[in-house]
């Protein structure tokens, strides 16, 4: 690959599912050419304005937000935000003079990529989900390249622009080889009983947490060990509930910083179906029960989960059915070694381990043209 330093603008955010892939892409470009200049553009007040500087990159903010689906006062300011963001985007591009502009989805990527295409600067978008968001759908007609994580995306995007790269993930999160002994010691687990890892996302998931609470006795009676990431809002409730099972190895966290060790320790994972979470789970290759969030725009998580279910790579439980069937589903998987192997083997087939590097290569191809 050409090691020439480049000037790169990356835009998007709003959630970790957009922000962390963007940072992973930036780091991949830096690995190729450490002297590259990278500028992020995000939405003021959103998490990228904090997370991107923490990762060591500069970021500029746009006054932009989404259009509310119902009639609200916020919608009246939306046209002004769009105009403001388009004007500011043109100024940022004119001053920075990027070689390539990349969008990862989210509010801020719309105005910046729109202006970049008007100025005939090479552009690339990265779509994390199996069902794209509205911003990327609109941009797809104008950009040069579209990097995706799933097959069949020609239903939404021009086929000649699509490259299947997978979703960029944080390598430190999925590097689990040879770590099981360290992981079980880290969480105070024994080697003789199965371990269930529960992750509802960094903010937690109330239905998942409630279903785990209802099944604590069943888990105890069955000899299951538990690593439970609750999110901040449910943490104190969970701590109170596990005290009734003090003799059991139940580890409760509001947030797990060492996800590599959590993944390494687990025999079975219960997870929401965010695009980046699924990409991590494919690389980790453990049996998974997926519980799509019903509160996500355009029901992205159900569509992401179905991409696994259709290849027998995961078991899906609907959020509305979780309280009734989670316990039995967990027991069935834990007791069935052949099912665990089948799920593990199938989900590994869907892994894209070098997605960020593949996207960096596509960025360089746009410059070489």
């Amino acid at each position: 690959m050409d090691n020439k330093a480049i000037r790169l603008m990356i835009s998007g955010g709003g959630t970790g599912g957009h922000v962390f892939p963007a940072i992973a892409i930036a780091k991949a470009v830096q690995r190729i050419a450490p002297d590259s200049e990278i500028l992020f553009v995000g939405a003021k007040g959103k998490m990228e304005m904090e997370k991107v500087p923490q990762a060591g990159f500069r970021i500029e903010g746009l006054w932009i937000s989404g259009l509310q689906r119902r009639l609200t006062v916020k919608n009246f300011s939306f046209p002004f935000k769009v105009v403001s963001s388009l004007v500011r985007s043109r100024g940022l591009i004119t001053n920075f003079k990027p070689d390539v502009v990349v969008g990862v989805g989210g509010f801020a990527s719309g105005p910046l990529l729109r202006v970049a295409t008007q100025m005939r600067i090479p552009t690339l978008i990265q779509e994390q989900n199996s069902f794209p968001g509205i911003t990327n759908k609109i941009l797809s007609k104008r950009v040069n390249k579209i990097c995706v994580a799933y097959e069949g995306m020609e239903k939404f995007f021009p086929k000649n622009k699509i490259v299947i790269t997978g979703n960029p993930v944080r390598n430190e999160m999925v590097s689990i080889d040879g770590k099981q002994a360290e992981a079980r010691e880290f969480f105070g687990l024994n080697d003789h009983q199965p371990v269930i890892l529960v992750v509802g996302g960094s903010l937690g998931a109330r239905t998942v947490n409630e279903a785990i609470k209802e099944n604590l006795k069943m888990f105890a009676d069955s000899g299951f060990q538990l690593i439970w990431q609750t999110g901040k809002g449910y943490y104190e409730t969970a701590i109170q509930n596990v005290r009734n099972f003090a003799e059991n190895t139940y580890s409760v966290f509001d947030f797990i910083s060492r996800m590599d060790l959590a993944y390494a320790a687990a025999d079975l994972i219960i997870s929401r179906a965010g695009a980046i979470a699924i990409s991590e789970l494919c690389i980790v290759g453990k049996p998974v029960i997926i519980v799509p969030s019903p509160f996500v725009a355009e029901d992205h998580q159900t569509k992401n989960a179905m991409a696994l279910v259709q290849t027998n790579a995961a078991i899906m439980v609907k959020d509305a059915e979780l309280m009734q069937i989670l316990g039995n589903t967990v027991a069935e998987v834990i007791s069935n070694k052949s099912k665990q192997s089948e799920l593990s083997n199938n989900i590994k087939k869907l892994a894209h381990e070098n997605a960020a590097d593949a996207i960096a290569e596509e960025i360089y191809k746009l410059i070489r043209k």
Side-chain angles (χ1 to χ4, degrees):
M1 186 184 288
D2 189 348
N3 288 332
K4 171 191 169 189
I6 65 170
R7 300 181 67 80
L8 173 66
M9 292 181 86
I10 305 179
S11 183
T15 67
H18 294 311
V19 176
F20 295 124
I23 292 171
I25 292 168
K27 288 183 175 178
V29 169
Q30 280 190 331
R31 284 195 294 274
I32 297 163
D35 293 331
S36 293
E37 291 283 331
I38 300 174
L39 176 64
F40 281 76
V41 178
K44 288 181 178 178
K46 296 297 182 182
M47 69 180 294
E48 58 265 28
M49 303 307 292
E50 176 186 349
K51 298 297 184 186
V52 168
Q54 285 175 359
F57 296 100
R58 188 159 64 95
I59 187 167
E60 297 284 349
L62 303 179
W63 182 46
I64 191 68
S65 61
L67 189 64
Q68 304 295 311
R69 293 174 187 273
R70 61 190 187 284
L71 189 63
T72 70
V73 174
K74 288 183 178 178
N75 279 347
F76 291 114
S77 65
F78 182 74
F80 301 101
K81 289 181 178 180
V82 170
V83 172
S84 167
S85 295
L86 288 169
V87 171
R88 178 145 171 76
S89 293
R90 186 170 290 274
L92 289 171
I93 290 172
T94 301
N95 289 332
F96 187 73
K97 298 181 176 60
D99 297 303
V100 181
V101 178
V102 172
V104 296
F107 307 137
S109 65
L112 191 80
L113 271 288
R114 175 66 185 262
V115 171
T117 57
Q118 288 174 340
M119 296 175 73
R120 301 191 182 281
I121 294 166
T123 49
L124 178 151
I125 56 175
Q126 195 259 329
E127 175 56 58
Q128 296 95 27
N129 293 288
S130 61
F131 188 88
I134 190 166
T135 301
N136 277 352
K137 277 186 187 174
I138 294 169
L139 291 171
S140 67
K141 298 176 179 63
R142 296 172 171 269
V143 300
N144 301 100
K145 190 75 68 174
I146 305 165
C147 294
V148 302
Y150 294 93
E151 302 277 355
M153 298 300 284
E154 61 273 8
K155 297 194 295 284
F156 311 106
F157 298 141
K159 186 175 182 179
N160 63 318
K161 297 181 181 182
I162 294 173
V163 181
I164 298 177
T165 57
N167 282 323
V169 300
R170 292 166 286 176
N171 291 333
E172 67 273 17
M173 296 288 184
V174 295
S175 176
I176 68 170
D177 288 349
K179 291 185 179 178
Q180 188 177 63
E182 178 191 355
R184 298 212 168 190
E185 182 179 350
F186 181 86
F187 291 107
L189 305 168
N190 67 57
D191 294 328
H192 315 299
Q193 294 167 288
V195 178
I196 303 164
L197 168 63
V198 183
V199 279
S202 58
L203 301 178
R206 174 158 290 276
T207 317
V208 174
N209 285 333
E210 291 286 346
I212 295 299
K213 183 185 81 172
E214 289 300 311
N215 283 284
L216 286 174
K217 185 176 187 308
M218 189 278 280
F219 291 168
D221 292 344
S222 302
F224 300 159
Q225 302 178 95
L226 183 66
I227 303 171
W228 184 8
Q229 178 178 284
T230 63
K232 288 184 179 177
Y234 202 85
Y235 177 71
E236 292 299 332
T237 302
I239 287 289
Q240 292 294 330
N241 279 279
V242 299
R243 281 180 183 151
N244 297 325
F245 304 93
E247 71 280 7
N248 292 87
T249 40
Y250 288 170
S251 299
V252 180
F253 304 87
D254 58 351
F255 180 79
I256 299 173
S257 57
R258 289 297 304 272
M259 276 305 299
D260 58 328
L261 296 184
Y263 285 141
D267 295 295
L268 173 67
I269 301 169
I270 301 168
S271 175
R272 283 301 201 196
I276 302 306
I278 284 183
S279 294
E280 289 183 0
L281 293 169
C282 289
I283 295 172
V284 167
K286 298 288 181 81
V288 181
I289 296 172
I290 294 283
V291 187
S293 170
F295 308 113
V296 175
E298 300 175 82
D299 202 21
H300 279 158
Q301 290 206 2
T302 297
K303 296 177 177 76
N304 292 342
M306 287 306 298
L308 299 187
V309 172
Q310 286 163 2
T311 55
N312 196 25
I315 294 169
M316 185 176 82
V317 176
K318 292 181 181 176
D319 194 83
E321 299 173 354
L322 196 63
M323 296 292 283
Q324 290 74 40
I325 68 173
L326 179 65
N328 286 339
T329 306
V330 168
E332 287 170 11
V333 177
I334 291 286
S335 65
N336 190 335
K337 293 294 184 185
S338 64
K339 183 65 173 177
Q340 290 176 43
S341 295
E342 184 180 30
L343 291 170
S344 180
N345 290 333
N346 288 338
I347 200 169
K348 282 178 183 175
K349 292 174 186 174
L350 303 176
H352 294 275
E353 297 199 32
N354 300 302
D357 294 325
I359 294 167
E361 168 66 14
E362 294 302 322
I363 289 169
Y364 270 84
K365 283 180 184 177
L366 289 175
I367 300 170
R368 296 187 197 123
K369 282 186 176 179

